[in-house]
Coordinates of all heavy atoms in Angstrom, one line a residue:
M27 N 100.6 51.6 114.8 CA 99.9 51.7 113.5 C 99.4 53.1 113.3 O 99.6 53.7 112.3 CB 98.8 50.7 113.5 CG 98.2 50.4 112.1 SD 99.5 49.9 111.0 CE 98.6 50.2 109.4
R28 N 98.7 53.7 114.3 CA 98.3 55.0 114.2 C 99.4 56.0 113.8 O 99.2 56.9 113.0 CB 97.7 55.5 115.5 CG 96.2 55.7 115.4 CD 95.7 56.2 116.7 NE 96.0 55.4 117.9 CZ 96.1 55.8 119.1 NH1 95.9 57.1 119.4 NH2 96.4 55.0 120.1
Y29 N 100.5 55.8 114.5 CA 101.6 56.7 114.2 C 102.1 56.6 112.8 O 102.6 57.5 112.2 CB 102.8 56.4 115.2 CG 102.3 56.7 116.6 CD1 102.1 55.7 117.5 CD2 102.0 58.0 117.0 CE1 101.7 56.0 118.8 CE2 101.6 58.3 118.2 CZ 101.4 57.3 119.2 OH 100.9 57.6 120.4
C30 N 102.0 55.4 112.3 CA 102.4 55.1 110.9 C 101.6 56.0 109.9 O 102.2 56.7 109.1 CB 102.1 53.6 110.6 SG 102.8 53.2 109.0
W31 N 100.3 56.1 110.1 CA 99.4 56.9 109.3 C 99.8 58.4 109.4 O 99.9 59.2 108.5 CB 98.0 56.8 109.6 CG 97.5 55.5 109.0 CD1 97.0 54.4 109.8 CD2 97.4 55.1 107.7 NE1 96.7 53.3 108.9 CE2 96.9 53.7 107.6 CE3 97.7 55.7 106.5 CZ2 96.7 53.0 106.5 CZ3 97.6 55.0 105.3 CH2 97.1 53.7 105.3
L32 N 100.1 58.8 110.7 CA 100.5 60.2 110.9 C 101.7 60.5 110.1 O 101.8 61.5 109.5 CB 100.8 60.3 112.4 CG 101.1 61.7 112.9 CD1 100.0 62.7 112.7 CD2 101.6 61.7 114.3
L33 N 102.7 59.5 110.1 CA 103.9 59.8 109.4 C 103.7 59.9 107.9 O 104.2 60.8 107.3 CB 104.9 58.6 109.7 CG 106.3 58.9 109.6 CD1 106.7 59.9 110.6 CD2 107.1 57.7 109.8
I34 N 102.8 59.0 107.4 CA 102.5 59.1 106.0 C 101.9 60.5 105.6 O 102.2 61.1 104.7 CB 101.6 58.0 105.5 CG1 102.4 56.6 105.6 CG2 101.1 58.2 104.1 CD1 101.5 55.4 105.4
G35 N 101.0 60.9 106.5 CA 100.3 62.2 106.3 C 101.3 63.3 106.3 O 101.2 64.3 105.6
L36 N 102.3 63.2 107.2 CA 103.3 64.3 107.3 C 104.3 64.3 106.1 O 104.7 65.3 105.6 CB 104.2 64.2 108.5 CG 103.4 64.5 109.8 CD1 104.3 64.2 111.0 CD2 103.1 66.0 109.8
L37 N 104.6 63.1 105.6 CA 105.6 63.0 104.6 C 105.1 63.2 103.2 O 105.8 63.6 102.3 CB 106.3 61.6 104.7 CG 107.2 61.5 105.9 CD1 107.8 60.1 105.9 CD2 108.3 62.5 106.0
S38 N 103.8 62.8 103.0 CA 103.3 62.8 101.6 C 103.4 64.1 100.9 O 103.7 64.2 99.7 CB 101.9 62.2 101.5 OG 101.0 63.0 102.3
P39 N 103.2 65.3 101.6 CA 103.3 66.5 100.8 C 104.7 66.7 100.2 O 104.9 67.4 99.2 CB 103.0 67.6 101.8 CG 102.3 66.9 102.9 CD 102.8 65.5 102.9
C40 N 105.7 66.1 100.9 CA 107.1 66.2 100.3 C 107.3 65.4 99.1 O 108.0 65.7 98.2 CB 108.1 65.8 101.3 SG 107.8 66.4 103.0
A41 N 106.6 64.2 99.1 CA 106.9 63.2 98.1 C 106.1 63.6 96.8 O 106.7 63.5 95.7 CB 106.4 61.9 98.5
F42 N 104.9 64.1 96.9 CA 104.1 64.5 95.7 C 103.8 66.0 95.8 O 103.1 66.3 96.7 CB 102.8 63.7 95.6 CG 103.0 62.2 95.9 CD1 102.7 61.7 97.2 CD2 103.5 61.4 95.0 CE1 102.9 60.4 97.5 CE2 103.6 60.0 95.2 CZ 103.3 59.5 96.5
A43 N 104.2 66.8 94.8 CA 103.8 68.2 94.9 C 102.3 68.2 94.8 O 101.7 67.5 94.0 CB 104.4 68.9 93.7
E44 N 101.6 68.9 95.7 CA 100.2 69.0 95.7 C 99.6 69.7 94.5 O 100.1 70.8 94.2 CB 99.7 69.8 96.9 CG 99.8 69.1 98.2 CD 98.8 68.0 98.5 OE1 97.6 68.3 98.1 OE2 99.1 67.0 99.0
Q45 N 98.6 69.1 93.8 CA 97.9 69.9 92.8 C 96.8 70.6 93.5 O 96.1 70.1 94.3 CB 97.2 68.8 91.9 CG 98.2 68.3 90.8 CD 97.8 68.8 89.5 OE1 96.9 69.7 89.3 NE2 98.5 68.3 88.4
P46 N 96.6 71.9 93.1 CA 95.5 72.6 93.7 C 94.2 71.9 93.3 O 94.1 71.3 92.2 CB 95.5 74.0 93.1 CG 96.8 74.1 92.4 CD 97.4 72.7 92.2
N47 N 93.1 71.9 94.2 CA 91.9 71.2 93.8 C 91.2 72.0 92.7 O 91.6 73.2 92.4 CB 91.0 71.1 95.1 CG 90.5 72.4 95.6 OD1 90.1 73.3 94.8 ND2 90.5 72.5 96.9
P48 N 90.2 71.4 92.0 CA 89.7 72.1 90.8 C 89.2 73.5 91.1 O 89.3 74.4 90.2 CB 88.5 71.1 90.4 CG 88.9 69.8 90.9 CD 89.7 70.1 92.2
Q49 N 88.5 73.7 92.2 CA 88.0 75.0 92.5 C 89.2 76.0 92.7 O 89.1 77.2 92.1 CB 87.2 75.0 93.8 CG 86.4 76.3 94.0 CD 86.0 76.5 95.5 OE1 85.8 75.5 96.2 NE2 85.9 77.7 95.9
R50 N 90.2 75.6 93.3 CA 91.3 76.5 93.5 C 92.0 76.7 92.2 O 92.5 77.8 91.9 CB 92.3 75.9 94.5 CG 93.5 76.7 94.9 CD 93.2 78.0 95.5 NE 94.4 78.8 95.8 CZ 94.4 80.1 95.9 NH1 93.3 80.9 95.8 NH2 95.6 80.8 96.2
Q51 N 92.1 75.7 91.3 CA 92.7 75.9 90.0 C 91.9 77.0 89.2 O 92.6 77.9 88.6 CB 92.6 74.6 89.2 CG 93.5 73.5 89.7 CD 93.5 72.3 88.8 OE1 92.9 72.3 87.7 NE2 94.2 71.3 89.2
Q52 N 90.6 77.0 89.4 CA 89.8 78.1 88.7 C 90.1 79.5 89.3 O 90.3 80.4 88.5 CB 88.3 77.7 88.9 CG 87.4 78.4 87.8 CD 88.0 78.2 86.4 OE1 88.2 77.1 85.9 NE2 88.2 79.3 85.7
E53 N 90.3 79.5 90.6 CA 90.6 80.8 91.2 C 92.0 81.3 90.7 O 92.2 82.5 90.5 CB 90.7 80.6 92.8 CG 89.4 80.5 93.4 CD 89.5 80.1 94.9 OE1 90.6 80.2 95.5 OE2 88.5 79.7 95.5
L54 N 92.9 80.3 90.6 CA 94.3 80.7 90.2 C 94.3 81.2 88.7 O 95.0 82.2 88.4 CB 95.2 79.5 90.3 CG 95.5 79.1 91.8 CD1 96.3 77.8 91.8 CD2 96.2 80.1 92.5
L55 N 93.4 80.6 87.9 CA 93.4 81.0 86.5 C 92.7 82.4 86.4 O 93.1 83.2 85.6 CB 92.6 80.0 85.6 CG 93.3 78.6 85.5 CD1 92.5 77.7 84.7 CD2 94.7 78.8 84.8
N56 N 91.7 82.6 87.3 CA 91.1 84.0 87.3 C 92.1 85.0 87.8 O 92.2 86.1 87.2 CB 89.9 84.0 88.3 CG 88.7 83.4 87.7 OD1 88.6 83.3 86.5 ND2 87.8 83.0 88.5
M57 N 92.9 84.6 88.7 CA 94.0 85.5 89.3 C 95.0 85.9 88.1 O 95.3 87.0 88.0 CB 94.7 84.8 90.4 CG 95.7 85.6 91.1 SD 96.2 84.6 92.5 CE 97.4 85.8 93.2
L58 N 95.3 84.8 87.4 CA 96.3 85.0 86.3 C 95.7 86.1 85.3 O 96.4 86.9 84.8 CB 96.5 83.7 85.6 CG 97.7 83.5 84.7 CD1 99.0 83.7 85.6 CD2 97.8 82.1 84.2
K59 N 94.4 85.9 85.0 CA 93.7 86.8 84.1 C 93.7 88.3 84.6 O 94.1 89.2 84.0 CB 92.3 86.4 83.9 CG 91.9 86.2 82.5 CD 90.4 85.9 82.4 CE 90.2 84.5 81.9 NZ 88.7 84.1 81.9
H60 N 93.1 88.4 85.9 CA 92.8 89.7 86.4 C 94.0 90.4 87.0 O 94.3 91.5 86.8 CB 91.6 89.6 87.4 CG 90.4 89.1 86.7 ND1 89.7 89.9 85.8 CD2 89.8 87.9 86.8 CE1 88.7 89.1 85.3 NE2 88.7 88.0 85.9
D61 N 94.7 89.7 87.9 CA 95.8 90.3 88.6 C 97.1 90.4 87.8 O 97.7 91.4 87.7 CB 96.1 89.6 90.0 CG 94.9 89.6 90.9 OD1 94.6 90.7 91.4 OD2 94.2 88.6 91.0
C62 N 97.5 89.2 87.3 CA 98.7 89.2 86.5 C 98.5 89.9 85.2 O 99.4 90.6 84.7 CB 99.2 87.8 86.3 SG 99.0 86.7 87.8
G63 N 97.3 89.7 84.6 CA 97.0 90.2 83.3 C 97.1 91.8 83.3 O 97.4 92.3 82.2
S64 N 96.8 92.4 84.4 CA 96.8 93.9 84.4 C 98.2 94.4 84.0 O 98.3 95.5 83.4 CB 96.3 94.4 85.7 OG 97.2 94.0 86.7
C65 N 99.3 93.7 84.3 CA 100.6 94.1 84.0 C 101.2 93.3 82.8 O 102.0 93.9 82.0 CB 101.6 94.0 85.2 SG 101.3 95.2 86.4
H66 N 100.9 92.0 82.8 CA 101.5 91.2 81.8 C 100.7 91.0 80.5 O 101.2 90.5 79.5 CB 101.8 89.8 82.4 CG 102.9 89.8 83.4 ND1 104.2 89.8 83.1 CD2 102.9 89.9 84.8 CE1 105.0 89.8 84.2 NE2 104.2 89.9 85.2
G67 N 99.5 91.6 80.5 CA 98.6 91.5 79.3 C 97.8 90.2 79.3 O 97.9 89.3 80.2
L68 N 96.8 90.2 78.4 CA 95.9 89.1 78.3 C 95.7 88.8 76.8 O 95.0 89.6 76.2 CB 94.6 89.4 79.0 CG 93.6 88.3 79.1 CD1 94.1 87.2 80.0 CD2 92.3 88.9 79.6
P69 N 96.2 87.7 76.2 CA 97.1 86.8 76.8 C 98.4 87.5 77.3 O 98.7 88.6 76.8 CB 97.4 85.8 75.7 CG 97.0 86.5 74.4 CD 95.9 87.5 74.8
P70 N 99.2 86.9 78.2 CA 100.3 87.6 78.8 C 101.5 87.8 77.9 O 102.6 87.3 78.1 CB 100.6 86.7 80.0 CG 100.2 85.4 79.6 CD 99.0 85.5 78.7
K71 N 101.3 88.6 76.8 CA 102.4 88.8 75.8 C 103.3 89.9 76.3 O 104.2 90.3 75.6 CB 101.8 89.2 74.5 CG 101.0 88.1 73.8 CD 100.6 88.4 72.5 CE 100.0 87.2 71.8 NZ 99.1 87.4 70.7
G72 N 103.0 90.5 77.4 CA 103.8 91.6 77.9 C 103.1 92.9 77.9 O 102.3 93.1 77.0
G73 N 103.4 93.8 78.8 CA 102.9 95.1 78.9 C 103.9 95.8 79.8 O 105.1 95.9 79.5
L74 N 103.4 96.3 80.9 CA 104.3 96.8 81.9 C 105.2 95.6 82.4 O 106.4 95.8 82.6 CB 103.5 97.3 83.1 CG 104.3 97.7 84.4 CD1 105.2 98.9 84.0 CD2 103.3 98.2 85.5
G75 N 104.7 94.4 82.6 CA 105.5 93.3 82.9 C 105.9 92.6 81.6 O 105.3 92.7 80.6
S76 N 106.9 91.7 81.8 CA 107.5 91.0 80.6 C 106.5 90.0 80.1 O 105.5 89.6 80.8 CB 108.8 90.3 81.0 OG 108.6 89.8 82.3
S77 N 106.7 89.4 78.9 CA 105.9 88.4 78.3 C 106.0 87.1 79.2 O 107.1 86.7 79.6 CB 106.4 88.1 76.9 OG 105.7 86.9 76.4
L78 N 104.8 86.5 79.4 CA 104.8 85.2 80.1 C 104.3 84.1 79.1 O 103.8 83.1 79.6 CB 103.9 85.3 81.3 CG 104.2 86.3 82.4 CD1 103.2 86.3 83.5 CD2 105.6 86.1 82.9
M79 N 104.5 84.3 77.8 CA 104.1 83.3 76.9 C 105.1 82.2 76.9 O 106.3 82.4 77.2 CB 104.0 83.9 75.5 CG 102.9 85.0 75.4 SD 101.2 84.5 75.7 CE 100.8 83.8 74.1
P80 N 104.7 81.0 76.5 CA 105.6 79.8 76.5 C 106.9 80.1 75.9 O 108.0 79.7 76.4 CB 104.8 78.7 75.8 CG 103.4 79.1 76.0 CD 103.3 80.6 76.0
E81 N 107.0 80.8 74.7 CA 108.2 81.1 74.0 C 109.1 81.9 74.9 O 110.4 81.6 75.0 CB 108.0 81.9 72.7 CG 106.9 81.5 71.8 CD 105.6 82.0 72.3 OE1 105.2 83.2 72.2 OE2 104.8 81.1 72.9
A82 N 108.5 82.9 75.6 CA 109.4 83.8 76.4 C 109.9 83.1 77.7 O 111.0 83.4 78.2 CB 108.5 85.0 76.8
L83 N 109.2 82.0 78.1 CA 109.6 81.3 79.3 C 110.5 80.1 79.0 O 111.1 79.5 79.9 CB 108.4 80.8 80.1 CG 107.4 81.9 80.5 CD1 106.3 81.3 81.4 CD2 108.1 83.1 81.3
A84 N 110.6 79.7 77.8 CA 111.2 78.5 77.4 C 112.6 78.3 78.0 O 113.0 77.2 78.4 CB 111.2 78.3 75.9
D85 N 113.4 79.4 77.9 CA 114.8 79.2 78.4 C 115.0 79.7 79.8 O 116.1 79.9 80.3 CB 115.8 80.0 77.4 CG 115.4 81.4 77.3 OD1 114.3 81.8 77.8 OD2 116.2 82.2 76.7
K86 N 113.9 79.8 80.5 CA 114.0 80.2 82.0 C 113.6 79.1 82.9 O 112.6 78.4 82.6 CB 113.1 81.4 82.2 CG 113.6 82.6 81.4 CD 112.9 83.9 81.6 CE 113.6 85.0 80.8 NZ 112.7 86.1 80.4
S87 N 114.3 78.9 83.9 CA 114.1 77.7 84.8 C 112.8 78.0 85.7 O 112.5 79.1 86.0 CB 115.3 77.5 85.7 OG 115.4 78.5 86.6
D88 N 112.2 76.9 86.1 CA 111.1 77.0 87.1 C 111.5 77.7 88.3 O 110.8 78.5 88.9 CB 110.7 75.6 87.5 CG 109.9 74.9 86.4 OD1 109.5 75.5 85.4 OD2 109.7 73.6 86.5
A89 N 112.8 77.5 88.8 CA 113.2 78.1 90.0 C 113.3 79.6 89.9 O 112.9 80.4 90.8 CB 114.6 77.6 90.4
L90 N 113.8 80.1 88.7 CA 113.9 81.5 88.5 C 112.5 82.2 88.5 O 112.3 83.2 89.1 CB 114.6 81.8 87.2 CG 114.7 83.2 86.7 CD1 116.1 83.7 86.9 CD2 114.2 83.5 85.3
L91 N 111.6 81.5 87.8 CA 110.2 82.1 87.6 C 109.5 82.0 89.0 O 108.8 83.0 89.3 CB 109.5 81.3 86.5 CG 110.1 81.3 85.2 CD1 109.3 80.4 84.2 CD2 110.1 82.8 84.6
A92 N 109.7 80.9 89.7 CA 109.0 80.8 91.0 C 109.5 81.8 91.9 O 108.7 82.4 92.7 CB 109.2 79.4 91.5
D93 N 110.8 82.1 91.9 CA 111.4 83.1 92.7 C 110.8 84.5 92.4 O 110.4 85.3 93.3 CB 112.9 83.2 92.6 CG 113.5 84.2 93.5 OD1 113.4 84.1 94.7 OD2 114.1 85.2 93.0
A94 N 110.7 84.8 91.1 CA 110.1 86.1 90.7 C 108.6 86.2 91.2 O 108.2 87.3 91.7 CB 110.1 86.2 89.2
I95 N 107.9 85.1 91.1 CA 106.5 85.2 91.5 C 106.3 85.2 93.1 O 105.6 86.0 93.6 CB 105.7 84.0 91.0 CG1 105.7 84.0 89.4 CG2 104.2 84.0 91.5 CD1 105.1 82.8 88.8
Q96 N 107.1 84.4 93.8 CA 107.0 84.3 95.2 C 107.5 85.6 95.9 O 106.9 86.2 96.7 CB 107.8 83.2 95.8 CG 107.1 81.8 95.5 CD 106.1 81.5 96.6 OE1 106.5 81.3 97.8 NE2 104.8 81.4 96.3
N97 N 108.7 86.1 95.4 CA 109.3 87.2 96.1 C 109.3 88.5 95.4 O 109.8 89.5 95.9 CB 110.8 86.8 96.3 CG 110.9 85.5 97.1 OD1 110.2 85.4 98.1 ND2 111.7 84.6 96.7
G98 N 108.7 88.5 94.1 CA 108.7 89.7 93.4 C 110.2 90.0 92.9 O 111.1 89.3 93.1
R99 N 110.3 91.1 92.1 CA 111.6 91.5 91.6 C 111.9 92.9 92.2 O 111.2 93.9 91.8 CB 111.6 91.6 90.1 CG 111.7 90.3 89.4 CD 113.1 89.9 89.0 NE 113.2 88.5 88.6 CZ 113.0 88.1 87.4 NH1 112.7 88.9 86.4 NH2 113.1 86.8 87.1
A100 N 112.8 93.0 93.1 CA 113.2 94.2 93.7 C 113.5 95.2 92.7 O 114.2 94.9 91.7 CB 114.3 94.0 94.7
G101 N 113.1 96.5 92.8 CA 113.4 97.5 91.9 C 112.6 97.6 90.6 O 112.8 98.4 89.8
T102 N 111.6 96.6 90.5 CA 110.7 96.6 89.4 C 109.3 96.7 90.0 O 109.1 96.6 91.2 CB 110.8 95.4 88.5 OG1 110.2 94.3 89.1 CG2 112.3 95.1 88.2
A103 N 108.3 96.7 89.0 CA 106.9 96.7 89.5 C 106.4 95.4 89.9 O 105.3 95.3 90.4 CB 106.0 97.3 88.3
M104 N 107.2 94.3 89.7 CA 106.7 93.0 90.0 C 106.6 92.8 91.5 O 107.6 92.8 92.2 CB 107.6 91.9 89.4 CG 107.3 90.5 89.7 SD 105.7 90.0 89.1 CE 105.6 88.3 89.7
P105 N 105.4 92.6 92.0 CA 105.2 92.5 93.5 C 105.4 91.0 93.9 O 105.2 90.1 93.1 CB 103.8 92.9 93.7 CG 103.0 92.6 92.4 CD 104.1 92.6 91.3
P106 N 105.7 90.8 95.2 CA 105.7 89.4 95.7 C 104.3 88.9 95.9 O 103.4 89.6 96.3 CB 106.4 89.6 97.1 CG 106.2 91.0 97.5 CD 106.0 91.8 96.2
W107 N 104.1 87.6 95.6 CA 102.8 87.0 95.7 C 102.8 85.9 96.8 O 101.8 85.1 96.9 CB 102.4 86.4 94.4 CG 102.2 87.4 93.4 CD1 103.1 87.9 92.5 CD2 101.0 88.2 93.1 NE1 102.6 88.9 91.7 CE2 101.3 89.1 92.1 CE3 99.7 88.2 93.6 CZ2 100.4 90.0 91.6 CZ3 98.8 89.1 93.1 CH2 99.1 90.0 92.1
K108 N 103.8 85.8 97.6 CA 103.9 84.6 98.5 C 102.8 84.7 99.6 O 102.5 83.6 100.1 CB 105.3 84.5 99.1 CG 105.8 85.6 99.9 CD 107.1 85.2 100.6 CE 107.7 86.3 101.4 NZ 108.5 87.2 100.6
N109 N 102.2 85.8 99.8 CA 101.1 85.8 100.8 C 99.8 85.3 100.2 O 98.8 85.0 100.9 CB 100.8 87.2 101.3 CG 102.0 87.7 102.2 OD1 102.8 86.9 102.7 ND2 102.1 89.0 102.3
F110 N 99.8 85.1 98.8 CA 98.5 84.7 98.1 C 98.7 83.4 97.5 O 97.7 82.7 97.2 CB 98.2 85.8 97.1 CG 98.1 87.1 97.6 CD1 99.1 88.0 97.5 CD2 97.0 87.5 98.3 CE1 99.1 89.3 98.0 CE2 96.9 88.8 98.9 CZ 97.9 89.7 98.7
L111 N 99.9 83.0 97.2 CA 100.2 81.7 96.5 C 101.2 80.9 97.2 O 102.2 81.3 97.6 CB 100.8 82.0 95.1 CG 99.9 82.8 94.1 CD1 100.8 83.3 92.9 CD2 98.8 82.0 93.6
T112 N 100.8 79.6 97.5 CA 101.8 78.7 98.1 C 102.8 78.3 97.0 O 102.6 78.6 95.8 CB 101.1 77.4 98.5 OG1 100.6 76.7 97.4 CG2 99.9 77.7 99.5
V113 N 103.9 77.7 97.5 CA 104.9 77.2 96.6 C 104.3 76.3 95.5 O 104.6 76.4 94.3 CB 106.1 76.6 97.4 CG1 107.1 75.9 96.4 CG2 106.8 77.7 98.2
D114 N 103.4 75.3 96.0 CA 102.8 74.4 95.0 C 101.9 75.1 94.0 O 101.9 74.7 92.9 CB 102.0 73.3 95.8 CG 102.9 72.3 96.5 OD1 104.1 72.2 96.1 OD2 102.4 71.7 97.5
E115 N 101.2 76.1 94.5 CA 100.3 76.8 93.6 C 101.1 77.6 92.6 O 100.8 77.7 91.4 CB 99.4 77.8 94.4 CG 98.3 77.0 95.1 CD 97.6 77.9 96.2 OE1 98.0 79.1 96.4 OE2 96.6 77.4 96.7
T116 N 102.2 78.1 93.0 CA 103.1 78.9 92.1 C 103.7 77.9 91.0 O 103.7 78.2 89.8 CB 104.3 79.5 92.9 OG1 103.7 80.4 93.9 CG2 105.2 80.3 92.0
A117 N 104.1 76.7 91.5 CA 104.6 75.7 90.5 C 103.5 75.3 89.5 O 103.8 75.2 88.3 CB 105.1 74.5 91.3
W118 N 102.3 75.2 90.0 CA 101.2 74.8 89.1 C 100.9 75.9 88.1 O 100.7 75.7 86.9 CB 99.9 74.5 89.9 CG 98.8 74.0 89.1 CD1 98.6 72.7 88.7 CD2 97.7 74.8 88.5 NE1 97.4 72.7 87.9 CE2 96.9 73.9 87.8 CE3 97.3 76.2 88.6 CZ2 95.7 74.4 87.1 CZ3 96.2 76.6 88.0 CH2 95.4 75.7 87.2
L119 N 101.0 77.2 88.5 CA 100.7 78.3 87.6 C 101.8 78.4 86.5 O 101.5 78.6 85.4 CB 100.8 79.6 88.4 CG 99.4 80.2 88.9 CD1 99.6 81.5 89.6 CD2 98.4 80.3 87.8
I120 N 103.0 78.1 86.9 CA 104.1 78.1 85.9 C 103.9 77.0 84.9 O 104.1 77.3 83.7 CB 105.5 77.9 86.6 CG1 105.8 79.2 87.5 CG2 106.6 77.7 85.6 CD1 107.0 79.1 88.4
Q121 N 103.5 75.8 85.3 CA 103.1 74.8 84.4 C 102.0 75.3 83.4 O 102.1 75.0 82.2 CB 102.5 73.6 85.1 CG 103.5 72.6 85.7 CD 102.7 71.5 86.4 OE1 101.6 71.1 86.1 NE2 103.4 71.0 87.5
Q122 N 101.0 76.0 83.9 CA 100.0 76.4 83.0 C 100.5 77.4 82.0 O 100.2 77.4 80.8 CB 98.8 77.1 83.8 CG 98.2 76.3 84.9 CD 97.9 74.9 84.4 OE1 97.1 74.7 83.5 NE2 98.5 73.9 85.1
L123 N 101.4 78.4 82.5 CA 101.9 79.4 81.6 C 102.7 78.7 80.5 O 102.7 79.1 79.3 CB 102.8 80.3 82.3 CG 102.0 81.3 83.2 CD1 103.0 82.1 84.2 CD2 101.2 82.3 82.4
R124 N 103.5 77.6 80.9 CA 104.3 77.0 79.9 C 103.6 76.2 78.8 O 104.1 76.0 77.7 CB 105.3 75.9 80.6 CG 106.4 76.6 81.4 CD 107.4 75.5 81.7 NE 108.4 76.0 82.6 CZ 109.4 76.8 82.3 NH1 109.5 77.3 81.2 NH2 110.3 77.1 83.3
K125 N 102.3 75.8 79.1 CA 101.6 75.0 78.1 C 100.5 75.8 77.4 O 99.7 75.2 76.6 CB 101.1 73.7 78.7 CG 100.1 73.8 79.7 CD 99.8 72.4 80.2 CE 98.6 72.5 81.2 NZ 98.6 71.3 82.1
R126 N 100.5 77.1 77.6 CA 99.4 77.9 76.9 C 99.7 78.1 75.4 O 100.9 78.4 75.1 CB 99.2 79.2 77.6 CG 98.2 79.1 78.5 CD 98.1 80.1 79.6 NE 97.2 79.6 80.6 CZ 96.0 80.1 80.8 NH1 95.6 81.1 80.1 NH2 95.2 79.5 81.6
Ligands
HEC1 C1 102.1 95.7 89.0 C2 102.5 95.0 87.8 C3 102.7 93.4 87.9 C4 101.8 92.5 88.3 C5 100.4 92.7 88.9 C6 102.4 91.2 88.1 N1 103.6 91.4 87.5 FE1 104.9 89.9 87.1 N2 106.3 91.2 86.5 C7 106.1 92.6 86.4 C8 107.3 93.2 85.9 C9 107.5 94.7 85.7 C10 108.2 92.2 85.7 C11 109.6 92.3 85.1 C12 110.6 92.4 86.2 C13 112.1 92.5 85.7 O1 112.3 93.4 84.9 O2 112.9 91.7 86.0 C14 107.6 91.0 86.0 C15 108.2 89.7 86.0 C16 107.5 88.5 86.2 C17 108.1 87.2 86.0 C18 109.5 86.9 85.6 C19 109.6 86.8 84.1 C20 111.0 86.6 83.6 O3 111.1 86.5 82.4 O4 111.9 86.5 84.3 C21 107.1 86.3 86.2 C22 107.2 84.8 86.1 C23 106.0 87.0 86.6 N3 106.2 88.4 86.6 C24 104.7 86.5 86.9 C25 103.6 87.1 87.4 C26 102.5 86.5 87.9 C27 102.2 85.0 87.9 C28 101.6 87.5 88.3 C29 100.3 87.4 89.0 C30 100.2 86.5 90.1 C31 102.3 88.8 88.1 N4 103.5 88.5 87.5 C32 101.8 90.0 88.4 C33 105.0 93.3 86.8 C34 103.9 92.7 87.4

């Protein structure tokens, strides 16, 4: 029985993408404003970085955007954020950008 719970604990992160907790959500939104905003603008209509407004992202896949955020874009000013953002946090941020 104990092992059963262990297994559920190990498997659940795969089954349900984790939502960041409310405090972390606030941190991520601040990051979007201060860190991403410095290049992408506030609202992120574009500056040094491209526009991150819902219209600009509409025809781009989550995978493409997540790759840009996690790994950066080589040869451009877009830095990798994978040391600061988990894959789930990146997915959550993309959702926020899409519905702004
Ligand atoms: C130092 C400047 C800079 C910062 C800071 C920055 N970006 Fe970027 N970002 C860029 C540039 C420049 C591009 C365009 C790269 C290219 O030409 O492909 C870009 C591209 C992107 C793309 C791909 C957009 C597309 O249309 O393909 C996403 C998504 C993105 N940034 C999200 C973020 C997020 C989220 C943050 C904050 C966590 C962030 N960026 C911080 C400069 C920056």
